């Protein structure tokens, strides 16, 4: 998607290390989702952010929405092999009702 | 508590054949979506529907047809399948959409389609 840019495209980290994935929008964000996916499987909802400055945490995963920068970051603390997968950000940024868009995903590998 | 289900989960077909992927949700969500997922392209929106009998094109609608005669069903039809339509297809639903994001997207498990 050109509207949502994720970085990096892929990431390999050693177990126990911290990491950050970024999602930047070219348009105004009206809210943003983070999903996780094991390749070939369905998407698992992680969290949704709606307000500028909002920060949410789930276990060792924290996400923050910076509306001024039209950016969200996903931070994983003390990564584990179970964190491996594809992380996707998604948002409704189009004024056409219902039109959602997703980033291309970040593939995370955690080495034991 | 079935949620959202897709069928078939796996399908192999030949070029030129018609294929229909089914999507059924039990929550009475207003919005339903079809995405395709390909390596290097992430999730791309094919079509979406705001309610029964209301559908609209997404990012990559060419070669696909949708209908929504009932709130709970949102079938996706490939009228004449091509090899470029080999992909994993995901259906999703949401209680709301639009500019005010108040509900998450609930995804089905995906349908893996191979066009030979």
């Amino acid at each position: 998607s050109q509207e949502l840019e994720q970085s990096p495209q892929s990431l390999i980290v050693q177990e126990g290390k911290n990491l950050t994935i970024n999602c930047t929008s070219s348009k105004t964000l009206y809210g943003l989702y983070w999903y996780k996916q094991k390749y070939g499987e369905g998407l698992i909802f992680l969290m949704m952010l709606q307000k500028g400055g909002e920060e949410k945490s789930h276990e060792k995963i924290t996400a923050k929405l910076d509306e001024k920068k039209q950016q969200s970051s996903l931070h994983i603390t003390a990564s584990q092999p179970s964190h491996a997968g594809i992380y996707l950000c998604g948002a409704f940024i189009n004024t056409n009702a219902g039109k959602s868009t997703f980033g291309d995903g970040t593939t995370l590998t955690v080495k034991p | 508590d079935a949620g959202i289900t897709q069928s078939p989960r796996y399908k192999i077909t030949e070029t030129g054949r018609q294929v229909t992927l089914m999507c059924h949700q039990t929550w009475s969500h207003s919005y339903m979506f079809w995405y395709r997922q390909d390596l290097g392209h992430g999730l791309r929106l094919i079509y979406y529907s705001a309610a029964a009998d209301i559908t609209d094109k997404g990012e990559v609608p060419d070669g696909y047809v949708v209908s929504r005669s009932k709130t709970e069903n949102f079938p996706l039809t490939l009228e004449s399948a091509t090899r470029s339509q080999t992909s994993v297809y995901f259906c999703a639903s949401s209680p709301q959409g639009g500019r005010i994001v108040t509900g998450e997207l609930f995804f089905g498990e995906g349908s893996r389609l191979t066009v030979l």
Side-chain angles (χ1 to χ4, degrees):
Chain A
S1 166
Q2 295 298 311
E3 292 170 325
L4 285 180
E5 294 280 344
Q6 280 188 242
S7 62
Q9 281 189 318
S10 62
L11 194 54
I12 302 173
V13 300
Q14 202 68 38
E15 183 177 358
K17 295 292 185 183
N18 302 337
L19 63 106
T20 299
I21 299 169
N22 292 305
C23 178
T24 303
S25 172
S26 61
K27 298 182 179 178
T28 302
L29 284 173
Y30 296 104
L32 185 134
Y33 305 112
W34 282 100
Y35 285 85
K36 180 188 173 185
Q37 182 186 30
K38 294 285 188 182
Y39 184 72
E41 298 180 12
L43 281 74
I44 301 167
F45 174 77
L46 295 175
M47 55 194 83
M48 178 174 69
L49 305 166
Q50 290 181 261
K51 300 175 184 177
E54 185 175 13
E55 184 173 310
K56 288 188 176 178
S57 294
H58 175 68
E59 296 179 345
K60 293 184 178 180
I61 301 176
T62 301
K64 186 172 182 178
L65 179 62
D66 184 339
E67 268 186 4
K68 289 183 181 178
K69 291 186 178 180
Q70 299 180 173
Q71 184 180 52
S72 178
S73 58
L74 184 86
H75 185 75
I76 298 177
T77 303
S79 59
Q80 300 170 356
S82 61
H83 288 129
I86 302 169
Y87 290 81
L88 294 111
C89 63
F92 290 99
I93 60 173
N94 196 297
T95 53
N96 289 332
K99 209 163 192 177
S100 58
T101 189
F102 280 81
D104 288 341
T106 295
T107 301
L108 173 63
T109 303
V110 180
K111 288 188 172 181
Chain B
D1 188 36
I4 183 164
T5 55
Q6 292 183 231
S7 62
R9 292 291 312 280
Y10 301 91
K11 175 76 177 179
I12 299 174
T13 190
E14 294 178 335
T15 301
R17 299 246 181 181
Q18 183 179 78
V19 176
T20 296
L21 305 179
M22 304 300 294
C23 180
H24 175 80
Q25 51 108 352
T26 59
W27 297 302
S28 298
H29 285 169
S30 298
Y31 284 84
M32 294 189 76
F33 307 81
W34 273 108
Y35 293 89
R36 61 177 289 173
Q37 187 178 38
D38 307 288
L39 281 173
H41 289 282
L43 278 171
R44 292 184 289 176
L45 182 65
I46 305 171
Y47 270 95
Y48 70 98
S49 168
D53 297 321
I54 300 174
T55 62
D56 204 351
K57 295 178 180 179
E59 186 182 351
V60 288
D62 294 341
Y64 303 95
V65 174
V66 293
S67 62
R68 189 142 178 234
S69 57
K70 294 183 178 181
T71 300
E72 61 267 29
N73 297 323
F74 191 38
L76 175 74
T77 298
L78 289 66
E79 293 189 306
S80 180
T82 64
R83 288 181 182 168
S84 64
Q85 292 177 310
T86 292
S87 186
V88 181
Y89 292 85
F90 286 98
C91 178
S93 72
S94 176
Q96 289 173 289
R99 300 180 68 215
I100 307 301
V101 177
T102 57
E104 70 180 86
L105 290 169
F106 296 83
F107 283 86
E109 290 297 309
S111 295
R112 185 178 293 274
L113 175 67
T114 301
V115 183
L116 301 176

